[in-house]
């Protein structure tokens, strides 16, 4: 077979809002490897472990390859005709308000632009929202109210040049490791730069801080009200700036007057000495940047908490200058692009809201026959709208709301009751595709062409590197195909993403004249070659600033009608009180090597080598009081507003970084990867009343130990189906699957019958010690191992996934009996990987330390760990400190 020489192409990572440049090597229509683009301004040659594994996740396994109608494969014409006819019928019978669309920041800007145009200009519905509402909506809402725009005002560079960097609810070392390495390098080069981390948990980032304030969850608003009170009493407010450039200062200052140091310490649970130290550093340091992330935004009072931070920066004039400002960090690759396009229910388009002038302007620009005239249903309101029958047709693109929204079982019921659910998706099996009437295969990263905007307003290009899998198509093309069938062919006759981008750029400048901050009008005439070579510039990009704009508001004129920023009054919400049976406060968040619902990262075995099982982390003191050990299975339960009980089982992980009485569970697992779905089941539909963002960072839960009859791990060539056990979780290997499970007393002793069914016609080589509760079996066909089963009374006696992967590659011979008779599989286990970039295990690192390595740098020289993305460095420091 003839092979094609490797080709190198530049593109952008699809994960977080940093927007790292990627250099991809493609050969024979396959992505062979990737590396960081050395000259890219965001990552400067680095990639995190997720970005480094992009070649591992660009595969057809698990992909949705063909359109499906009511579960049956069909052709594109039939599927698109059905979608168009059904949407038309719904609108004719029930009106535009009966149609909704749910999108995400994983779509490209061109996809989002077409979706927004179709919904708001041609279907006449503003019921367009999505998963970005679950992300940084409170920060965007607060910024819009104070500064007149939801746009991030600064640059990543400000985090390197400031003298005080405050991270509010941001575990940067794990969630944005490339950017955290930039920060770490800046701190190493500048001895006067301080890092303060506000986080209830002792995270990897907190361990690197000069000061870690482990505040009570939900008390961030009280903390920054206390800071503003301190600044006023110490006389360090910038009165000249307040008078010349702001409104509302006196009311905001009066509202925070009760928050003296003692009151703030009491409400936040922070030691008064630590609190005063932070306040003094902030007061003495003009060049201060505060980064807002999920930990502060994902709260029932998220907008107020973000507003309290903005008030402190405006009161001291710390905005719009190098090394100063408030920076909301996006978790999704194109979260900023969602705002720029206006693909949210509360905006019209291109940073325009629903005023009569804007509606008329958009109608003229688009030539729109049916303009939406008012805000629509937001992401959380969508569920209620489905339940009351308002929404008759829902189109979901690039998102999995049945797993990510609070109360997912309720969401799934609402989707199942909806007459028409259309899902455009890359993966065939998700919690949401299970509820769809129409499935449309969408092109994945590496297969589609377009642009995205990073968290620092930087326009970035994604290039199509590979042919689309199966019959998958880009989302913008699918939307245009439906629009044409609805009679809007002329308005959606785009030959390429470049044509859509040109219209998007032209709209940003249309009748703008400086009235709107978002302006990329200088790019409205780019041809295909210029679009392909589009450099990573920060908007605004205008004739006056053709090279882009690093930061906004440098002249202290803001995007409000008056040109003045607004300080708004903040009244921190009182902390909630637990019920007697739910005394633990549950927090949720991300892990180092995983991303959202693992739709992509869960396909790469190397990304599961660090942590491959969901868990609940709790303080060892709490564990001792409950008689719990590492690995024990417990049930977490919560009650929704209707009193219904929701419960999930989790293995225990002991964590000294947890506060007493608080728990942590990662967000990534769902019904496709485990027995009970994701942790969102334990969060009720509490919502920030201003931004509409659901609260996913704090829930009162109960905890009870579960008795386990037997623990088991099953190695198989294909994923196991229909597991009749109280708890299970599975993960892929390079050559198969591993399933971990626990048989509970309520499982009716199903193990013997299930094992015989599993065995089927396969030959069995086994070892059993009934007294010890041990059963080990190799199920094979000739010398080929098909399955392996290991049963033990405790999970710690089971082999790990790395050891099992090696077992799968071996032939079954008489010598295999020795493996089954090993008394302790711990001697055969490969240690947990700490550095995923270079596959360095904990055992190797401890060995190097025993041989004299005394620093992260020395470990890097010996083992290379910590020398690429840097996300393992906090754990290296922990091992060195043992």
């Amino acid at each position: 077979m003839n092979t094609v020489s490797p080709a190198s192409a530049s593109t952008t990572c699809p994960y977080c809002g940093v927007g790292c440049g990627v250099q991809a090597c493609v050969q024979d229509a396959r992505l062979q490897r990737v590396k960081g683009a050395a000259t890219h301004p965001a990552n400067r040659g680095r990639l995190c472990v997720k970005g480094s594994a992009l070649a591992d996740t660009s595969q057809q396994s698990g992909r949705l390859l063909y359109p499906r109608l009511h579960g049956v494969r069909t052709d594109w014409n039939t599927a698109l005709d059905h979608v168009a006819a059904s949407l038309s019928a719904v609108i004719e019978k029930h009106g535009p308000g009966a149609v909704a669309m749910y999108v995400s920041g994983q779509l490209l800007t061109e996809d989002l632009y077409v979706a927004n145009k179709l919904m708001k200009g041609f279907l006449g519905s503003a019921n367009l929202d999505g998963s970005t509402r679950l992300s940084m909506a409170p920060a965007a809402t607060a910024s819009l109210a104070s500064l007149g725009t939801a746009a991030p005002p600064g640059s990543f560079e400000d985090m390197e040049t400031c003298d005080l960097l405050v991270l509010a609810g941001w575990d940067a070392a794990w969630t944005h490791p490339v950017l955290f390495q930039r920060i770490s390098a800046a701190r190493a080069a500048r001895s006067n730069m301080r890092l303060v981390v506000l986080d209830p948990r002792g995270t990897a980032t907190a361990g690197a801080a000069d000061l870690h304030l482990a505040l009570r969850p939900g008390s961030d608003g009280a903390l920054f009200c206390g800071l503003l009170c301190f600044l006023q009493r110490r006389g360090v407010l910038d009165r000249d700036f307040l008078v010349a450039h702001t409104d509302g200062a006196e009311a905001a200052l009066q509202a925070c007057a009760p928050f003296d140091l003692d009151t703030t310490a009491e409400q936040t649970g922070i030691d008064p000495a630590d609190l005063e130290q932070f306040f003094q550093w902030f007061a003495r340091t003009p060049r201060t940047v505060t980064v807002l992330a999920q930990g502060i935004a994902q709260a029932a009072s998220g907008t107020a908490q973000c507003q309290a931070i903005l008030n402190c920066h405006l009161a001291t004039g710390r905005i719009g200058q190098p090394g100063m400002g408030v920076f909301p960090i996006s978790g999704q690759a194109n979260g900023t692009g969602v705002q720029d396009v206006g693909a949210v229910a509360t905006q019209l388009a291109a940073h325009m809201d629903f005023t009569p002038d804007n509606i008329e302007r958009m109608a003229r620009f688009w030539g729109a026959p049916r303009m939406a005239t008012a805000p629509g249903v937001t992401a959380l309101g969508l569920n209620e709208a489905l339940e009351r029958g308002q929404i008759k047709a829902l189109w979901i693109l690039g998102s999995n709301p049945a797993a990510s929204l609070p109360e997912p079982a309720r969401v799934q019921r609402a989707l199942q009751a909806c007459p028409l659910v259309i899902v455009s998706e890359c993966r065939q099996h998700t919690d949401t595709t299970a509820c769809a009437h129409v499935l449309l295969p969408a092109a994945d990263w590496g297969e589609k062409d377009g642009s995205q905007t990073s968290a620092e307003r930087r326009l970035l290009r994604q290039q199509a590197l590979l042919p689309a899998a199966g019959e998958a198509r880009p989302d913008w093309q699918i939307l245009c195909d439906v629009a044409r069938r609805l009679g809007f062919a002329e308005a959606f006759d785009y030959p390429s993403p470049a044509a859509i981008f040109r219209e998007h750029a032209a709209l940003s400048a249309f009748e703008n004249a400086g009235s709107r901050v978002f302006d990329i009008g200088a790019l409205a005439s780019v041809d295909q070659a210029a679009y392909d070579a589009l450099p990573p510039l920060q908007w605004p990009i205008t004739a006056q600033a053709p090279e882009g704009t690093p930061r906004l508001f440098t002249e202290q004129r803001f995007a409000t009608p008056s040109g003045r920023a607004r300080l708004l009054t903040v009244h921190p919400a009182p902390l909630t009180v637990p019920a007697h049976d739910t005394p633990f406060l549950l927090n949720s968040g991300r892990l180092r090597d995983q991303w959202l619902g693992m739709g992509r990262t869960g396909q790469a075995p190397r990304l599961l080598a660090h942590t491959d099982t969901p868990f609940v982390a709790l303080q060892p003191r709490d564990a001792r009081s409950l008689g719990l050990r590492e690995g024990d299975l417990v049930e977490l339960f919560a009650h929704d507003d209707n009193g219904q009980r929701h419960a999930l089982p989790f293995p225990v992980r002991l964590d000294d970084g947890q506060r007493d009485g608080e728990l942590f569970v990662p967000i990534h697992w769902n019904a496709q990867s485990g027995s009970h779905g994701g942790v969102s089941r334990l969060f009720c539909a509490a919502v920030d009343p201003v931004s509409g963002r659901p609260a996913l960072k704090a829930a009162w839960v109960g905890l009870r130990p579960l008795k386990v009859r037997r623990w088991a791990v099953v190695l198989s060539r294909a994923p196991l189906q229909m597991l009749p056990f109280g708890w299970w979780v599975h993960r892929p290997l390079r050559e198969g699957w591993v399933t971990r499970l626990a048989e509970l007393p309520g499982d009716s002793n199903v193990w013997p019958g299930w094992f015989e069914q599993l065995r089927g016609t396969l030959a069995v080589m086994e070892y059993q010690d009934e007294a010890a509760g041990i059963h080990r079996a190799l199920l094979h066909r000739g010398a080929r191992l098909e399955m392996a089963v290991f049963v033990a009374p405790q999970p710690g006696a089971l082999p790990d996934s790395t050891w099992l992967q090696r077992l799968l590659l071996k032939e079954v011979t008489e010598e295999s009996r020795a493996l089954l008779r090993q008394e302790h599989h711990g001697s055969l286990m490969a240690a947990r990987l700490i550095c995923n970039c270079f596959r360095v295990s904990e055992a190797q690192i401890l060995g190097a330390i025993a041989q004299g390595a005394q620093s992260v740098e020395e470990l890097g020289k010996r083992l290379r760990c910590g020398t690429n993305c840097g996300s393992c460095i906090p754990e290296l420091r922990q091992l060195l400190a043992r």
Side-chain angles (χ1 to χ4, degrees), residues 715-717 733 735-736 785 804-810:
L715 174 67
S716 58
R717 296 284 178 181
L733 299 174
E735 302 291 340
L785 179 66
L804 289 168
Q805 172 67 68
R806 296 171 183 167
L807 179 63
L808 198 61
L809 300 177
K810 296 180 179 180

Side-chain angles (χ1 to χ4, degrees), residues 403 589-599 601 614 664-671 673 678-679:
R590 297 177 180 173
L591 296 180
R592 191 191 76 181
D593 296 352
Q594 292 304 321
W595 183 249
L596 301 182
M598 299 198 300
T601 54
F664 172 81
V665 172
I667 65 171
H668 307 292
W669 279 264
N670 53 51
S673 51
V679 69

Side-chain angles (χ1 to χ4, degrees), residues 200-201 216-217 576 578-579 582-587 616-626 636 655-664 697-703:
R201 300 172 54 228
R216 289 194 182 102
T576 57
T582 54
F584 288 95
L585 192 57
L586 173 66
N587 186 4
V616 55
L618 71 160
Q619 233 297 325
R621 288 185 292 270
D622 288 330
R624 286 193 294 271
S625 70
L626 295 168
L636 303 187
D655 186 348
D656 287 319
Q658 290 291 126
R659 287 165 46 100
D660 290 337
E662 296 180 8
L663 311 174
F664 172 81
K697 279 294 181 183
W700 290 107
V701 299
L703 182 154

Side-chain angles (χ1 to χ4, degrees), residues 549-637:
T549 309
R551 55 190 59 82
L552 307 178
F553 315 129
T554 56
E555 297 180 0
Q556 286 80 52
R557 178 167 181 82
F558 297 91
T560 60
S562 67
R564 298 166 65 85
R566 308 183 188 101
L567 282 79
L568 301 179
T569 57
V570 174
H571 301 285
L575 298 178
T576 57
V577 178
H580 73 280
D581 63 336
T582 54
F584 288 95
L585 192 57
L586 173 66
N587 186 4
S588 68
R590 297 177 180 173
L591 296 180
R592 191 191 76 181
D593 296 352
Q594 292 304 321
W595 183 249
L596 301 182
M598 299 198 300
R600 175 182 296 278
T601 54
Q603 305 298 311
R606 64 179 284 198
L607 295 181
L608 289 155
H610 182 264
T611 303
D612 65 358
T613 304
F615 60 86
V616 55
L618 71 160
Q619 233 297 325
R621 288 185 292 270
D622 288 330
R624 286 193 294 271
S625 70
L626 295 168
L628 295 172
R629 297 171 297 177
E630 180 89 14
D632 285 352
L633 197 67
V634 299
E635 179 184 77
L636 303 187
F637 59 90

Side-chain angles (χ1 to χ4, degrees), residues 228-239:
L228 187 57
C229 178
F230 181 90
L231 297 171
Q232 182 183 27
R233 293 186 179 186
R234 294 299 175 97
V236 294
L237 302 183
D238 190 334
R239 292 290 181 180

Side-chain angles (χ1 to χ4, degrees), residues 667-847:
I667 65 171
H668 307 292
W669 279 264
N670 53 51
Q672 307 307 309
S673 51
S675 53
H676 287 73
V679 69
S680 57
R681 289 181 58 181
L682 298 176
F683 291 89
C684 69
V687 63
D688 174 22
V690 185
S691 70
R693 198 252 176 269
L696 292 173
K697 279 294 181 183
W700 290 107
V701 299
L703 182 154
R704 71 180 185 93
L706 292 175
K707 293 183 178 179
V708 177
R709 180 179 286 129
R710 56 170 59 85
W711 292 89
V713 59
V714 181
L715 174 67
S716 58
R717 296 284 178 181
L720 302 179
Q721 304 294 327
M722 304 296 292
L723 293 164
F725 300 102
W727 177 83
W728 62 265
V729 61
H730 67 198
R731 56 152 293 184
L733 299 174
R734 290 193 303 276
E735 302 291 340
W737 287 77
V738 167
T739 302
R740 298 188 179 278
L741 57 89
E743 185 184 19
L744 306 182
D747 293 339
S748 304
N749 197 27
V750 297
W751 178 266
W754 183 78
F755 178 75
E756 287 304 314
Q757 182 181 5
L758 193 70
R759 172 179 179 171
T761 61
L762 296 174
V764 178
M765 181 183 294
E766 60 186 329
Y767 168 80
Q768 195 158 359
D769 184 341
E770 292 186 8
I774 293 172
H775 181 202
R776 302 165 188 159
L778 303 181
L779 285 64
H780 59 100
R781 185 173 284 111
R784 176 183 164 89
L785 179 66
E786 298 293 341
M787 296 186 190
V789 178
F790 298 85
V791 178
Q794 296 296 330
L798 296 171
D800 76 355
S801 299
T802 305
W803 186 86
L804 289 168
Q805 172 67 68
R806 296 171 183 167
L807 179 63
L808 198 61
L809 300 177
K810 296 180 179 180
E811 291 187 345
V812 179
T813 67
E814 279 303 311
E815 295 179 359
S816 301
R817 293 187 185 278
L819 295 177
L820 299 179
R821 294 181 177 277
Q822 290 282 346
E823 292 189 9
H824 299 288
H825 274 278
S827 63
L828 300 175
M829 290 184 192
R832 184 171 70 106
L833 287 185
I834 299 297
C835 175
N836 217 324
C837 294
F838 298 111
R839 304 193 64 78
V840 183
S841 71
E842 182 175 352
Q844 290 173 287
I845 294 165
L846 292 174

Side-chain angles (χ1 to χ4, degrees), residues 343-633:
V344 291
T346 49
Q347 279 191 43
L348 187 57
H351 289 229
M352 288 181 274
D353 56 10
F354 286 90
T355 65
D357 286 346
N358 286 337
I359 294 168
E360 187 274 336
R361 179 179 295 113
M362 287 306 310
R364 282 190 289 110
F365 182 86
W366 278 340
R370 184 189 280 147
M371 281 298 303
T373 58
V377 177
T378 62
L380 198 60
L382 178 64
N383 208 44
E384 286 82 1
L386 287 167
E387 289 176 331
R388 62 176 178 264
Q390 173 189 338
I391 302 300
K392 306 294 185 182
L394 173 62
W395 192 344
I396 301 167
L397 298 97
S399 193
N400 190 13
S404 58
L405 284 173
E407 300 181 272
R410 179 184 171 195
V411 175
Q412 290 164 17
R413 290 193 299 269
L415 290 175
Q416 290 163 356
C418 183
L420 177 64
V421 176
I422 309 155
V423 177
S424 300
E425 176 58 73
C426 303
R427 302 288 164 192
Q428 181 167 354
H429 299 294
T430 73
D431 294 15
T432 301
T433 59
C435 305
H437 303 100
V438 185
L439 288 175
L440 303 176
D444 201 354
W445 178 88
E447 301 169 357
K448 56 185 180 179
D449 192 39
S451 65
Q452 64 191 60
T453 307
S454 78
E456 59 172 349
R457 296 172 287 104
R458 192 178 294 279
L459 300 183
L460 304 165
R461 282 283 280 115
Q462 270 197 26
Q463 304 280 358
L465 310 170
L466 308 168
E471 295 180 4
R473 295 180 179 179
D475 290 283
W476 68 266
Q477 184 180 343
I478 300 171
L479 290 158
C480 288
D481 287 341
V482 171
R484 294 186 192 104
R485 284 167 168 79
L486 290 168
F488 310 130
E490 184 177 353
F492 291 86
D493 188 23
Y494 300 111
S496 67
I500 303 170
F501 182 84
R502 286 192 291 269
E503 185 175 306
H504 170 54
L507 174 58
S508 74
F510 183 62
E511 298 179 0
N512 190 336
S515 60
R516 304 188 300 274
V517 173
F518 176 59
D519 188 345
I520 57 172
L523 303 175
S525 60
V526 294
D527 59 17
Q528 185 66 51
Y531 178 70
D532 289 340
L534 188 69
L537 303 178
Q538 292 173 273
W539 65 256
I541 305 167
T542 62
Q544 293 75 32
E547 299 301 316
T549 309
R551 55 190 59 82
L552 307 178
F553 315 129
T554 56
E555 297 180 0
Q556 286 80 52
R557 178 167 181 82
F558 297 91
T560 60
S562 67
R564 298 166 65 85
R566 308 183 188 101
L567 282 79
L568 301 179
T569 57
V570 174
H571 301 285
L575 298 178
T576 57
V577 178
H580 73 280
D581 63 336
T582 54
F584 288 95
L585 192 57
L586 173 66
N587 186 4
S588 68
R590 297 177 180 173
L591 296 180
R592 191 191 76 181
D593 296 352
Q594 292 304 321
W595 183 249
L596 301 182
M598 299 198 300
R600 175 182 296 278
T601 54
Q603 305 298 311
R606 64 179 284 198
L607 295 181
L608 289 155
H610 182 264
T611 303
D612 65 358
T613 304
F615 60 86
V616 55
L618 71 160
Q619 233 297 325
R621 288 185 292 270
D622 288 330
R624 286 193 294 271
S625 70
L626 295 168
L628 295 172
R629 297 171 297 177
E630 180 89 14
D632 285 352
L633 197 67

